[in-house]
Amino acid sequence: MRITPRSELQSRIEKLQNLMQQQGLDAVLMLQNADLFYFTGTIQQGILYVPASGEPLYLVRKDLDRARMECGLKEILPFKSPKDLPGILSDFGYPTPKSAGMELDVLPVALFQRLQKVLDGCAISDASSLIRMVRSVKSRYEIEIMKDAALQVDRVYKRAREVIRVGMTDLELAAELEFCARKQGHQGITRMRGFNSELFYGHIFSGADSAAPAFLDAPLGGIGVNPSIGQGASYKTIKAHEPITVDFAGAFDGYLVDQTRILCIGGLSDQLTRAYEDMVKIQDRLKATARPGVAWGDLYEDCYALACELGYKEHFMGSADAQVSFIGHGIGVEIDEFPFIARGFKDQVLEENMTFAFEPKAVFPGLGAVGIENTFWVGADGLKHITFSDQDLVVL
Amino acid sequence: MRITPRSELQSRIEKLQNLMQQQGLDAVLMLQNADLFYFTGTIQQGILYVPASGEPLYLVRKDLDRARMECGLKEILPFKSPKDLPGILSDFGYPTPKSAGMELDVLPVALFQRLQKVLDGCAISDASSLIRMVRSVKSRYEIEIMKDAALQVDRVYKRAREVIRVGMTDLELAAELEFCARKQGHQGITRMRGFNSELFYGHIFSGADSAAPAFLDAPLGGIGVNPSIGQGASYKTIKAHEPITVDFAGAFDGYLVDQTRILCIGGLSDQLTRAYEDMVKIQDRLKATARPGVAWGDLYEDCYALACELGYKEHFMGSADAQVSFIGHGIGVEIDEFPFIARGFKDQVLEENMTFAFEPKAVFPGLGAVGIENTFWVGADGLKHITFSDQDLVVL
């Protein structure tokens, strides 16, 4: 178990303050668990108040002792309600902010309205892009944690090779793999930022089920064990000669990685085998082109064009009427971070030490889906693997 | 796997419309997964538009085919963006609402602001209490599903008796029990409504760890596997003569139940054994008094008074400086539903077929926690058990 070092927290806060100064923000207030963990090292209930310069204040309602144990920031203060905020700021000689940024992409309206009253006269804007830009570029410390999470998914992948058999249900396979990950220290709770976005270990499914359209913004969805979930493993039994997707999110010490491999019993049809190899080619194209300075959207367009050239226009990243317009997503504390390797995004470029998952997938309704996914970090001279399991199509 | 029957959906919508008419609301718009599942039977991306009278419209962005398969409502319509809403309403002969309710307790600000623009000139208020009141009273159909979830937690409890041994870690125990539940069809994803509230199967911990204060609004929290999670099982090893908490949320076909039992190896101290028995006495008091018409807050005060009388003023529902002011919480599609058996709430009364979990717990810093939790439904003549595992302190 790691406690985030103070030097990490300081450097993260500094980066945020630099962006705040560029944007003319007097303060940023953060309340959401993922952001709190990133900037404080813990997720105790409260508000992190970051001024444009000077020490941040972590105002903690519950639990103050835990905050003091887990958080390396200097100023950790008890507070009971947002109403205490102006008094605390003035005790610190901080003026009431005239312009403040908040996490408007995740803060619920009712909570926001209570905070707004307290910050009377302050212009409040959405700081989520600033926060997400800071979080998108990882430190060596963070990349090392993600490598630990990659060990977890490698074990899961190896376990899949051991346990898959004809007649077991997708759910039984999922249960085995989740059990394997949990025993390796998988933290269970995994985070997505998007509203209504929910994630549980990942997606384990086989054959036609892997091609079922679903509510989520993902190339594959699955049926799930019931309509309240609507994604992931179902009670379908595994048969020979159909693709089995093991798309698994490792989660260790607060960080995620995402890896997909395809397994099968007794081989796949030529069509699916070729499609798998073609998805690996698209990953190879990415590796040949992705480096600092390249626009997220250009990487997308280039890989998408290759997918079309290879004959997957109607199958790439979903089936014809349910295709998604991305191939990769930033990953770290949440699974939907910056950068997005997606349509548009012509102005945002890769930076050194960004981390993202790339998942070219081809979907064939009635037959299933194939593809590959790895998590990478952006080195000065190109992509480096964080997830590293064997990349061949596994034939059992 | 159940598909919610059309008659269920119709009766739920009708109850909401009755409340809307009482409050003078022209429309309620719902977007959040738990509410969507409850009122549509599925969670496809989109907006459920409920007029004060007439057919509700389920506007679906993704995936329309899944919505048509899983949702028993009559009007399921494709839409691309909230901007389409006025046009769709006018096609249906529905006027643009002058007053609308939305889920302001869970809707993020940025999304709300986009919706607000589309409903230009409409007064928007928080409909979350209305929605939660409708959801708090269950049908026979819902209670039967919760009984299935109770079978799941009973198997988990029995599995705990089989696998607990000196020297295993809390995390290993959690992994075994989660595996057991998942194989029984546990849906994995479980829902809490509160901002930043996160839940993963439940809380498995032993000895002093069960008395660790934590960020969450719960009597027990635990250490967790890392500070990004801050709750639940940790790497602590289980010893003889310490209480082991198995607080587990069963989750089946969209519904949750919550049950806690205490196990130990070789017996507990007299102090902890007596405390366990006293917590059962507090549950007995609840069973003797809870019935339709009794105020939520009165049940709380009565049970709290008994806890103090029995000597637990400093230990009840948390240790001295981290006590929570509730003993029970409604449960169903989410684990933090109405009713709250909590301080205050003098005006809200139990109604027949409400369901809630009641969890009197005593916390002793350095030693651990003991207590019991069951999920009940409110019958005409008093409480009925949904969870049913043997209630004795388990000595292995």
Side-chain angles (χ1 to χ4, degrees):
Chain A
M1 184 166 106
R2 292 169 170 95
I3 298 287
T4 314
R6 178 184 294 230
S7 56
E8 278 284 319
L9 299 179
Q10 281 170 337
S11 126
R12 297 170 189 182
I13 296 276
E14 235 168 69
K15 282 188 210 162
L16 180 64
Q17 288 178 326
N18 287 340
L19 289 179
M20 288 164 63
Q21 287 160 21
Q22 286 169 29
Q23 308 253 332
L25 281 179
D26 296 338
V28 164
L29 287 81
M30 284 179 277
L31 289 87
Q32 185 241 27
N33 282 347
D35 293 334
L36 283 182
F37 173 63
Y38 181 81
F39 286 105
T40 74
T42 184
I43 58 166
Q44 304 310 306
Q45 270 185 49
I47 299 176
L48 176 64
Y49 183 91
V50 181
S53 64
E55 285 295 329
L57 310 178
Y58 189 14
L59 314 179
V60 177
R61 201 179 77 80
K62 185 171 191 283
D63 180 84
L64 191 65
D65 290 338
R66 279 288 277 273
R68 288 190 171 132
M69 279 188 276
E70 297 175 351
C71 171
L73 296 177
K74 278 192 190 146
E75 303 297 348
I76 303 170
L77 309 163
F79 99 128
K80 296 214 162 162
S81 126
K83 278 180 274 180
D84 302 347
L85 185 61
I88 295 175
L89 292 182
S90 109
D91 288 351
F92 259 81
Y94 289 161
T96 309
K98 292 200 168 52
S99 63
M102 293 179 67
E103 303 148 307
L104 300 192
D105 63 333
V106 294
L107 268 195
V109 177
L111 176 58
F112 171 72
Q113 288 171 342
R114 287 200 294 279
L115 293 162
Q116 218 177 4
K117 273 187 202 150
V118 171
L119 294 170
D120 193 30
C122 174
I124 300 178
S125 58
D126 191 357
S128 57
S129 289
L130 260 64
I131 293 167
R132 298 177 86 177
M133 279 310 295
V134 172
R135 283 183 35 197
S136 67
V137 177
K138 269 66 176 178
S139 66
R140 285 298 142 134
Y141 171 79
E142 293 179 281
I143 291 171
E144 287 307 312
I145 305 176
M146 291 175 74
K147 286 181 181 171
D148 285 348
L151 287 169
Q152 209 179 63
V153 292
D154 185 56
R155 290 202 180 130
V156 164
Y157 156 79
K158 285 176 177 148
R159 183 75 183 141
R161 299 178 69 129
E162 289 168 9
V163 297
I164 287 176
R165 58 177 201 284
V166 169
M168 86 189 298
T169 65
D170 289 353
L171 178 63
E172 284 166 342
L173 176 57
E176 286 283 355
L177 302 185
E178 291 157 11
F179 183 43
C180 169
R182 187 70 164 141
K183 285 187 292 184
Q184 310 295 330
H186 191 291
Q187 67 192 34
I189 290 166
T190 47
R191 297 191 171 112
M192 287 188 85
R193 195 168 185 95
F195 176 64
N196 270 344
S197 294
E198 297 170 318
L199 172 67
F200 185 72
Y201 282 112
H203 285 163
I204 314 292
F205 32 54
S206 62
D209 267 28
S210 41
F215 76 98
L216 59 168
D217 281 320
L220 315 183
I223 300 290
V225 288
N226 66 57
S228 89
I229 300 306
Q231 63 167 307
S234 76
Y235 295 98
K236 176 188 173 301
T237 53
I238 292 174
K239 297 183 186 66
H241 310 299
E242 59 181 13
I244 304 161
T245 296
V246 176
D247 180 350
F248 210 87
F252 195 73
D253 279 355
Y255 285 79
L256 307 171
V257 297
D258 207 354
Q259 173 177 293
T260 303
R261 295 293 184 269
I262 304 293
L263 304 91
C264 63
I265 300 167
L268 292 181
S269 68
D270 289 350
Q271 181 192 23
L272 291 176
T273 304
R274 195 173 52 243
Y276 182 80
E277 288 160 4
D278 287 338
M279 295 305 114
V280 176
K281 279 183 200 158
I282 293 169
Q283 179 187 265
D284 291 342
R285 170 69 66 92
L286 174 86
K287 289 197 216 176
T289 52
R291 48 191 29 78
V294 180
W296 308 350
D298 289 347
L299 288 171
Y300 172 83
E301 293 303 339
D302 184 43
C303 292
Y304 181 72
L306 176 58
C308 293
E309 199 180 298
L310 291 167
Y312 299 96
K313 192 172 172 35
E314 303 297 318
H315 302 279
F316 192 56
M317 302 307 289
S319 59
D321 50 353
Q323 288 168 300
V324 296
S325 55
F326 73 90
I327 321 176
H329 52 89
I331 184 165
V333 172
E334 292 170 317
I335 206 164
D336 49 354
E337 297 194 351
F338 289 176
F340 304 133
I341 312 301
R343 196 169 296 155
F345 298 103
K346 292 292 193 176
D347 299 327
Q348 294 96 325
V349 300
L350 284 191
E351 292 180 43
E352 205 175 331
N353 297 323
M354 280 183 168
T355 51
F356 66 91
F358 187 75
E359 51 173 332
K361 286 171 182 167
V363 179
F364 302 89
L367 297 176
V370 293
I372 189 162
E373 178 172 31
N374 280 298
T375 300
F376 299 98
W377 63 276
V378 182
D381 55 348
L383 294 189
K384 316 282 178 192
H385 272 268
I386 294 177
T387 54
F388 59 86
S389 300
D390 187 272
Q391 298 205 149
D392 292 339
L393 176 68
V394 178
V395 181
L396 301 168
Chain B
M1 185 168 107
R2 291 169 170 95
I3 298 286
T4 314
R6 177 184 293 227
S7 57
E8 279 285 319
L9 299 179
Q10 282 171 335
S11 127
R12 296 170 189 181
I13 296 275
E14 235 168 69
K15 281 189 210 162
L16 180 64
Q17 288 178 324
N18 287 340
L19 290 178
M20 288 164 63
Q21 288 161 19
Q22 285 168 30
Q23 308 253 333
L25 281 179
D26 296 339
V28 164
L29 287 80
M30 286 180 276
L31 288 88
Q32 186 241 25
N33 282 347
D35 292 334
L36 282 184
F37 173 63
Y38 181 80
F39 285 105
T40 75
T42 184
I43 58 166
Q44 304 310 306
Q45 270 185 47
I47 300 175
L48 177 64
Y49 184 91
V50 181
S53 64
E55 286 296 328
L57 310 179
Y58 188 15
L59 314 179
V60 177
R61 200 178 77 80
K62 186 171 189 283
D63 183 82
L64 191 66
D65 290 339
R66 278 289 276 275
R68 288 188 171 134
M69 279 188 276
E70 296 175 354
C71 169
L73 295 177
K74 277 191 191 148
E75 302 296 347
I76 302 170
L77 309 163
F79 100 127
K80 294 213 163 163
S81 130
K83 278 181 274 181
D84 303 347
L85 185 61
I88 295 175
L89 292 181
S90 109
D91 288 350
F92 259 82
Y94 288 162
T96 309
K98 293 203 167 49
S99 64
M102 293 178 66
E103 302 148 309
L104 300 192
D105 63 334
V106 294
L107 267 195
V109 177
L111 176 57
F112 172 72
Q113 288 171 343
R114 285 199 296 279
L115 292 162
Q116 219 177 4
K117 272 187 202 150
V118 171
L119 293 170
D120 193 33
C122 174
I124 300 177
S125 59
D126 191 357
S128 57
S129 289
L130 258 63
I131 293 167
R132 297 178 86 176
M133 279 310 295
V134 172
R135 282 183 35 197
S136 68
V137 177
K138 269 66 176 177
S139 65
R140 284 300 143 132
Y141 171 78
E142 293 180 281
I143 292 171
E144 286 307 312
I145 304 177
M146 292 175 74
K147 286 181 180 171
D148 285 347
L151 287 169
Q152 209 179 62
V153 294
D154 185 56
R155 291 202 179 129
V156 164
Y157 156 81
K158 285 176 176 148
R159 181 76 183 141
R161 299 178 68 129
E162 289 168 8
V163 297
I164 286 174
R165 59 178 201 282
V166 169
M168 83 189 300
T169 65
D170 289 354
L171 178 63
E172 284 166 341
L173 176 57
E176 287 283 353
L177 302 185
E178 291 158 11
F179 184 44
C180 168
R182 187 69 163 143
K183 284 187 294 184
Q184 310 295 331
H186 192 290
Q187 67 192 35
I189 290 166
T190 46
R191 298 191 172 112
M192 287 188 85
R193 195 168 186 94
F195 176 64
N196 270 344
S197 295
E198 298 169 318
L199 172 67
F200 185 72
Y201 281 111
H203 285 165
I204 312 291
F205 33 53
S206 61
D209 266 29
S210 42
F215 75 97
L216 59 169
D217 281 320
L220 316 183
I223 300 288
V225 288
N226 67 57
S228 88
I229 300 306
Q231 62 167 307
S234 76
Y235 296 98
K236 177 188 173 299
T237 53
I238 292 174
K239 297 184 185 67
H241 309 299
E242 58 181 15
I244 303 160
T245 296
V246 175
D247 180 350
F248 210 88
F252 194 75
D253 278 357
Y255 285 78
L256 306 170
V257 297
D258 207 353
Q259 173 177 293
T260 304
R261 294 293 185 270
I262 305 293
L263 303 90
C264 63
I265 300 166
L268 292 181
S269 69
D270 289 350
Q271 181 193 24
L272 291 176
T273 305
R274 196 173 50 247
Y276 181 81
E277 289 160 3
D278 287 338
M279 294 305 115
V280 176
K281 279 184 201 157
I282 294 168
Q283 179 187 266
D284 291 343
R285 171 70 66 94
L286 173 86
K287 289 197 217 176
T289 52
R291 47 190 31 76
V294 180
W296 309 348
D298 288 346
L299 288 171
Y300 172 84
E301 293 304 338
D302 185 43
C303 291
Y304 180 73
L306 177 57
C308 293
E309 199 180 297
L310 291 166
Y312 299 96
K313 192 171 172 33
E314 304 298 316
H315 302 278
F316 191 57
M317 302 307 289
S319 59
D321 50 353
Q323 288 169 301
V324 296
S325 56
F326 73 89
I327 322 176
H329 51 90
I331 186 166
V333 172
E334 293 170 316
I335 205 164
D336 49 354
E337 297 194 352
F338 289 175
F340 304 133
I341 311 301
R343 197 169 295 153
F345 298 102
K346 292 293 196 178
D347 299 326
Q348 292 96 325
V349 299
L350 283 190
E351 292 180 44
E352 204 175 331
N353 296 324
M354 280 183 167
T355 51
F356 66 92
F358 188 75
E359 50 173 332
K361 287 172 182 167
V363 178
F364 302 89
L367 296 177
V370 294
I372 189 163
E373 178 172 31
N374 280 299
T375 301
F376 299 98
W377 64 276
V378 182
D381 55 348
L383 294 189
K384 315 283 175 189
H385 273 267
I386 294 177
T387 55
F388 60 85
S389 300
D390 188 90
Q391 297 206 151
D392 291 339
L393 176 68
V394 178
V395 182
L396 300 168

